[in-house]
Amino acid sequence: MSASILVACQAVTVAIAAGWALGGLFHLGDVGEYGLMGLFGLLALYVSALYVRKAIQAETNAHY
């Protein structure tokens, strides 16, 4: 579970940084930057949730 939390934190951090960088690169202003940060952040949360589901599924189906 701790690895899933680490991956989720990194994904959200990278998503917010990417939104800030792209917003600044294309001179979108504050609203554009916040919009991209929110969009990328939601995408990162979705992918993180999929990752956690797959990790739980892998741990419960493991045959030792």
Side-chain angles (χ1 to χ4, degrees), residues 16-53:
I16 291 173
W20 171 76
L22 288 174
L25 181 67
F26 294 117
H27 304 290
L28 298 178
D30 289 340
V31 175
E33 287 180 11
Y34 293 145
L36 285 177
M37 286 182 207
L39 179 68
F40 292 160
L42 288 175
L43 181 64
L45 287 175
Y46 175 71
V47 171
S48 297
L50 290 178
Y51 178 80
V52 169
R53 281 180 59 192

